[in-house]
Structure formats: C-alpha cells, structure tokens
Amino acid sequence: MKVTLLQHTPDPETAVALAARLCYSPTGIDELRDKLTRSDITAFLEKIMSLGHQSVLEHATFTFGIEGISRATSHQLVRHRLASYSQQSQRYVSHATRFAAVVPPSIAGRPELAARFEAQLQALHETYAALAEAGVPAEDARYILPNATETKIIVSMNARELRHFFALRCCERAQWEIRAMAVEMLKLVIKVAPVIFRDAGPGCLTGPCPEGALSCGRMAAVRETFKELSG
C-alpha cells in the first residue's frame, strides 16, 4: 500500500481560522487576514474545535493518491459520499498480464491457505487471459476478477469529512486494510494541519467508545497509540 498527499489547500489552518474569524467580526476580510498571527490562528482553531464549530473545516481540502489497495477496500472507501474519487478503470485498463492482488495477513500467515489462495488467483488470471485472447472486451472479462485485485484511486476530502472518516476507519473495529490506509492518511495530514487533526482518530480518543458492547476493549492502548502519532 502506498498513500501520498498529492496536494492540499495552501496553509489550511489559516484558511479555516480566517473563515471562522469572519463569522464573529465586522472587519473586512483583507484586514482580518493581515492581522492573523500564527499564535492567533492556533488559539482560534482550538477554540472553535472545542465549540464544535466544524463547518469552517470544509474550507480546507486534501487530495491523496492511494495505490496497492484491494477492490474490497476501495468499495468501502467510496461509501464516504462527501468526497471526490477517480479510480483506475477495469474497463479501460486490461489485466491480461497477471493482475496484482492483496492477500490478507490472516491468509498469508498460514502456508496451506496461502497456497490455495494463490492457486485460485492463478486460475482466475488464466481465465481472464483466455477471455481476453478470445476477444471478450475488458469490461466483460473483468467480471471474473476478485475483490483482492489491487487498484489505484485519487481521493479528495475536506477536513471536516476527513475527521469523520478517521473516527470511523481508524477504529480497531474497522476492517484491517482500510484502517491501515486511514492511519497513513492521518499521519500525512497531521503534519500540515496539526491543530485541526490533533485529536483526530477513532471516536474513543475524545470520549467513551462509540461501539458500546462491540468495543475492542483496548481503549487505553488505542489512545496511547494515537497520542504518539500526533506528537
């Protein structure tokens, strides 16, 4: 898996602080911007975050390049509808050469199961290649491809939606692959917007576990992990 922060709103925390400050000030935008110092930005962001005034976070947008995830994970990812996606097409990109696949650790760590898994992947590849050789269009041959097939996707989310995404997908109850992806995304954005994403992560970081009876039971360890991540 490779996760890259391709681009983001220049100085995202200034953009958010300026938008928030405007809501409470009669001053013109240019004057507000000129008066904002770094300490003012940090203090104001901390205040609005504590008040739950998160609509202003939508002014900061982040775009990620994500490679080497499975179609199983990309299907989960695109359920987050307040985002923009551009995914490698299985209609226009042929997999006639051996397609790459993600093997779950629960299978990779068990040699007999891993061998059976690999055998199935090879059989699917051979069938796909045979269909392609017979002139079946890639858009139809792709029906044989498994959820394990690797994909590439570009994703854009604003900071408010990213915090919601992290709350759900950094949770220990989330599926392992999308959780790993979400954590990598958080590591990248916290470097450029440390105040906005300071307490971002699973819901248990700032309150009781939202999973209730389904809790992982590791809240203290989870909190420590994400505390180290935020520095």
Side-chain angles (χ1 to χ4, degrees):
M1 179 189 302
K2 179 181 178 182
V3 181
T4 306
L5 181 59
L6 298 177
Q7 62 182 31
H8 56 80
T9 300
D11 200 350
E13 296 194 330
T14 297
V16 170
L18 180 60
R21 191 71 185 88
L22 178 67
C23 295
Y24 301 100
S25 175
T27 307
I29 295 174
D30 287 341
E31 186 177 349
L32 281 176
R33 180 175 55 185
D34 292 341
K35 288 182 177 179
L36 277 177
T37 64
R38 179 51 57 183
S39 60
D40 290 337
I41 291 168
T42 299
F44 203 67
L45 284 175
E46 289 175 342
K47 180 179 180 180
I48 62 172
M49 297 294 287
S50 68
L51 295 173
H53 184 187
Q54 294 198 5
S55 63
V56 292
L57 299 181
E58 295 171 18
H59 293 290
T61 302
F62 301 80
T63 299
F64 303 87
I66 302 170
E67 302 175 77
I69 59 170
S70 68
R71 280 268 171 170
T73 287
S74 69
H75 292 336
Q76 296 178 76
L77 174 61
V78 298
R79 292 175 190 160
H80 294 269
R81 294 186 294 278
L82 299 182
S84 298
Y85 304 100
S86 296
Q87 186 171 11
Q88 183 184 62
S89 172
Q90 289 183 331
R91 181 182 184 188
Y92 297 109
V93 177
S94 173
H95 290 280
T97 55
R98 175 63 188 265
F99 60 86
V102 175
V103 183
S106 60
I107 297 173
R110 302 171 69 179
E112 290 185 8
L113 294 181
R116 293 181 64 180
F117 192 88
E118 174 59 30
Q120 289 298 314
L121 292 179
Q122 180 61 28
L124 290 172
H125 162 66
E126 292 172 1
T127 300
Y128 182 98
L131 293 171
E133 188 176 351
V136 173
E139 65 181 37
D140 293 336
R142 64 180 168 171
Y143 278 63
I144 200 72
L145 296 174
N147 274 338
T149 306
E150 282 191 6
T151 189
K152 301 177 180 69
I153 191 167
I154 290 178
V155 183
S156 295
M157 291 189 192
N158 66 53
R160 186 183 193 180
E161 179 61 14
L162 268 175
R163 285 181 58 90
H164 173 66
F165 173 76
F166 294 144
L168 297 178
R169 301 302 187 172
C170 289
C171 175
E172 289 286 304
R173 293 280 300 167
Q175 187 259 355
W176 67 271
E177 190 180 9
I178 198 168
R179 182 173 68 248
M181 184 189 72
V183 170
E184 290 305 308
M185 292 167 68
L186 177 54
K187 288 178 181 178
L188 293 171
V189 296
I190 206 167
K191 294 177 182 178
V192 296
V195 180
I196 290 175
F197 295 106
R198 180 179 296 164
D199 63 349
C204 64
L205 295 188
T206 55
C209 175
E211 295 294 315
L214 298 178
S215 173
C216 71
R218 301 179 59 251
M219 190 164 65
V222 170
R223 286 178 172 177
E224 187 61 31
T225 295
F226 282 88
K227 181 180 178 181
E228 293 174 2
L229 189 151
S230 64

